Amino acid sequence: RLLKKLLMSSNSVIIKFTPAEVDLRFKPKDYAPPSPAINKLPEWYKKLSRFQTSNDLSKLFPVNDRGTDGSAGSTKLCMPFFDSLTAGYMFCLEDDIEVSLDKDGFPSISNTNNFMLVDKRNMIEVAVPHEHHPMHYGWKIPWHCETPPGYSILITHPHNRHDLPFTTLSGIIDSDDWNAPVFTAFFLKRNFMGTIKKGTPIFQVFPFKREDWEMSLDYSKEDIVKKKIKEEKRRISIYSYYKDFVWKRKNYTGREK
């Protein structure tokens, strides 16, 4: 296992995060570093059972002529969902953030530490997410992010985290040439009042290689039949066909220099 880990590490593409040290009152290690997203799985996901409301195989209830389609597998067995939760790296809050509402229902944000965590813009230039306050905020995270030549990063709201009391907008940065900390916009959900806890994931960083793509449409009967045969292979397994025969493990690790 150790050898496998060493080989994987030696072949890994490096994404480097460096503290920006925007405030000389704080040491670089005072800032909460990003973390592999797999380390930030939400508790509600960890508590999910594999089959309906139980992990007991007797609760599977398969329909014999439907293969995987007939199992009572839950989201916990969905590897595409898992991959989205664990892809890349997660930035989390450095401090508790307090959200209060004035008499007109407009939010006010504050935090007890001296870190500059949230900025605010005086104008709204993008569509406001449904049931969010029409106030354009931004996360201020004191970290540079650098990728090798030819690689960019996607910054986005933590995947499938609709339970969070805010929505972070998405953006792509060519981080091989631009490494500076960025203003990452977000909107607060209406009617939320209280504490957004230190350590709450606020956005996910996914590195990817820039490549040129071209879309192709194939209406040929040969290709349609070929794809259908491949699709039907899932019926050889009562559950977890995708995980057992299709899924490839993705690794996003971290080490301190």
Side-chain angles (χ1 to χ4, degrees), residues 67-119:
T68 300
D69 291 347
S71 71
S74 77
T75 301
K76 195 62 172 287
L77 289 177
C78 179
M79 298 315 294
F81 191 91
F82 171 81
D83 278 346
S84 69
L85 285 176
T86 59
Y89 300 86
M90 199 74 74
F91 277 85
C92 299
L93 276 182
E94 308 262 357
D95 190 18
D96 288 352
I97 284 183
E98 300 296 332
V99 179
S100 58
L101 301 178
D102 64 19
K103 60 182 180 63
D104 296 316
F106 288 101
S108 176
I109 295 179
S110 63
N111 62 288
T112 56
N113 210 323
N114 289 320
F115 290 121
M116 174 67 169
L117 296 179
V118 176
D119 199 357

Side-chain angles (χ1 to χ4, degrees), residues 173-213:
I173 298 173
D174 294 337
S175 46
D176 49 354
D177 287 325
W178 183 259
N179 318 134
V182 295
F183 177 96
T184 307
F186 73 94
F187 289 89
L188 278 171
K189 289 183 178 178
R190 289 186 183 275
N191 302 320
F192 173 79
M193 183 171 60
T195 304
I196 306 177
K197 292 289 188 180
K198 177 180 179 179
T200 298
I202 53 177
F203 61 84
Q204 200 161 344
V205 173
F206 178 71
F208 64 94
K209 187 176 182 180
R210 294 192 301 272
E211 296 179 296
D212 294 331
W213 290 80

Side-chain angles (χ1 to χ4, degrees), residues 224-256:
I224 292 172
V225 171
K226 181 180 177 180
K227 296 296 192 298
K228 188 63 179 177
I229 292 174
K230 188 174 183 179
E231 174 191 339
E232 290 301 307
K233 285 184 178 180
R234 72 189 188 283
R235 303 191 191 282
I236 67 174
S237 178
I238 296 177
Y239 69 96
S240 292
Y241 173 85
Y242 181 88
K243 180 180 180 181
D244 295 338
F245 297 99
V246 179
W247 181 66
K248 285 85 175 173
R249 184 174 298 278
K250 293 84 176 169
N251 295 296
Y252 303 92
T253 59
R255 66 175 185 268
E256 188 174 312

Side-chain angles (χ1 to χ4, degrees), residues 31-47:
Y31 300 114
S35 172
I38 195 169
N39 297 338
K40 301 298 179 181
L41 285 172
E43 287 301 315
W44 57 259
Y45 178 80
K46 295 178 182 178
K47 293 176 181 178

